[in-house]
Amino acid sequence: MSEEQDMAGGANEAADVTHSGFVALIGPTNAGKSTLVNRLVGAKVSIVSHKVQTTRAIVRGIAIHNNAQIVFMDTPGIFKPRRRLDRAMVTSAWGGAKDADLIMLLIDSERGLRGDAEAILEGLKEVKQPKILVLNKIDRVKREDLLALAAAANEKIAFDHTFMISAENGSGCTDVMDFLASTLPEGPWYYPEDQISDLPMRQLAAEITREKLFLRLHQELPYSSHVETEKWEERKDGSVRIEQVIYVQRDSQKKIALGKGGETIKAISSASRRELSEILEQQVHLFLFVKVRENWGDDPERFREMGLDFPH
């Protein structure tokens, strides 16, 4: 075999080597984790709203970059828990971090290390996995302030790498993907090539309706409202009939969700139906119902529905 053939064979073998692994994306609430996961995956797998603690359980978004399959674990925002649901979400976030091959800490550059970010850095000292720091929303902050923020965070923890990005416009995101694709362990892919999430479609549909609910009623409705997909019927004409229930904790919240003459629930249903039709690529008949279930936040079954462990 000639030297040229030998080199070509080696290059082909290198090209055939695949990488795969799990990357836990953690950070304070509203740092932009869900926006970033959707950006890196290239499709919507995690719901986004201005309301804090929108993500409740770990959502896995699956991306292919070069010869690597990167499984992003979008964890709930880490904050000081007050209620049982809060405790379950924070426990889920730290559990996701400890199960990952690599941890990506996302910090809002505008907020810096104030509040929950400081506590998260302390918590990360106990986590052994490799860690990278990602500063988000860099288009809103002066360069010298970004450099100072990066230096301050790296003083507390020696990150393997620091990236500066905008999840909103995609700036810097390719650099993150290049790094992850080359850093994750060699090994076969965990999921089929065309799969972008491990979230069952019924659950994703409920999450999308919950997002529309929060976007419409950002101030008026507590984030403790909950959506469940109760019926999913594929019809002979190729369309799908979906029935969902929005659970609230009081009659006053039910009136808010319905709106005057039912106009609020109609608007939520319309927005959710449009997005579901695009995702499913089929006609969707969506029917929403609002029910009062007092103290659902103390019901272990509801926690299982959300993919959370019930804290005692």
Side-chain angles (χ1 to χ4, degrees):
M1 184 184 290
S2 70
E3 190 177 336
E4 287 83 358
Q5 286 173 316
D6 194 36
M7 288 173 64
N12 286 337
E13 282 176 30
D16 289 340
V17 172
T18 57
H19 294 250
S20 59
F22 291 82
V23 176
L25 186 52
I26 70 168
T29 57
N30 270 7
K33 294 186 298 298
S34 297
T35 301
L36 180 57
V37 167
N38 292 340
R39 164 73 62 182
L40 298 179
V41 171
K44 185 161 185 173
V45 294
S46 196
I47 71 169
V48 179
S49 88
H50 303 299
K51 217 169 183 66
V52 296
Q53 297 114 40
T54 303
T55 300
R56 286 181 175 160
I58 292 173
V59 177
R60 292 174 184 85
I62 305 156
I64 308 292
H65 188 73
N66 299 336
N67 59 341
Q69 185 178 70
I70 307 163
V71 185
F72 292 100
M73 303 160 69
D74 181 13
T75 62
I78 296 173
F79 58 103
K80 191 172 181 180
R82 295 184 184 88
R83 293 164 297 182
R84 181 174 267 141
L85 177 60
D86 298 343
R87 293 202 307 277
M89 288 159 59
V90 171
T91 301
S92 173
W94 281 117
K98 288 169 184 171
D99 289 340
D101 295 292
L102 183 144
I103 294 167
M104 186 155 70
L105 171 63
L106 189 67
I107 297 288
D108 179 335
S109 299
E110 286 187 298
R111 275 188 281 163
L113 300 184
R114 293 193 298 274
D116 295 321
E118 193 86 52
I120 293 168
L121 283 166
E122 282 300 313
L124 277 176
K125 291 177 181 177
E126 308 298 317
V127 181
K128 296 182 176 65
Q129 286 92 327
K131 306 166 194 67
I132 63 172
L133 173 67
V134 179
L135 302 181
N136 190 23
K137 306 180 185 178
I138 59 168
D139 46 325
R140 305 180 191 178
V141 180
K142 292 178 183 174
R143 181 165 176 76
E144 55 265 32
D145 292 338
L146 285 170
L147 294 173
L149 175 57
N154 275 276
E155 269 180 34
K156 295 180 182 295
I157 290 182
F159 288 96
D160 292 80
H161 210 290
T162 298
F163 294 93
M164 300 185 184
I165 65 138
S166 168
E168 199 69 48
N169 65 31
S171 173
C173 289
T174 301
D175 294 338
V176 176
M177 294 295 278
D178 288 343
F179 176 84
L180 295 175
S182 62
T183 303
L184 288 174
E186 287 185 14
W189 291 355
Y190 292 98
Y191 298 94
E193 189 170 351
D194 59 350
Q195 189 171 339
I196 60 167
S197 174
D198 71 344
L199 201 63
M201 191 48 71
R202 289 172 72 107
Q203 198 175 334
L204 179 61
E207 286 289 275
I208 286 169
T209 298
R210 188 163 67 93
E211 176 189 63
K212 305 311 175 198
L213 181 71
F214 284 172
L215 290 173
R216 178 82 185 193
L217 298 170
H218 176 46
Q219 299 295 338
E220 296 95 325
L221 200 64
Y223 87 98
S224 56
S225 52
H226 175 54
V227 181
E228 288 181 19
T229 301
E230 295 210 330
K231 187 174 181 182
W232 187 290
E233 180 190 345
E234 298 283 347
R235 302 174 69 166
K236 290 179 182 177
D237 63 2
S239 66
V240 59
R241 177 189 172 96
I242 302 170
E243 293 182 11
Q244 295 178 331
V245 177
I246 298 169
Y247 288 105
V248 294
Q249 293 183 313
R250 292 190 291 277
D251 275 318
S252 59
Q253 295 170 0
K254 180 177 180 179
K255 288 174 185 172
I256 291 169
L258 290 171
K260 189 176 180 181
E263 64 179 37
T264 301
I265 198 72
K266 286 176 190 170
I268 292 165
S269 178
S270 178
S272 184
R273 183 171 58 248
R274 274 197 305 275
E275 185 156 334
L276 284 169
S277 295
E278 287 175 20
I279 291 171
L280 296 170
E281 297 180 339
Q282 64 188 125
Q283 187 180 4
V284 172
H285 306 282
L286 178 63
F287 298 87
L288 298 183
F289 306 90
V290 184
K291 294 182 181 178
V292 177
R293 181 181 276 155
E294 291 182 12
N295 302 320
W296 73 259
D298 296 322
D299 181 356
E301 184 59 37
R302 303 282 74 74
F303 280 71
R304 279 193 289 274
E305 279 279 340
M306 289 185 280
L308 293 169
D309 291 327
F310 185 74
H312 295 285

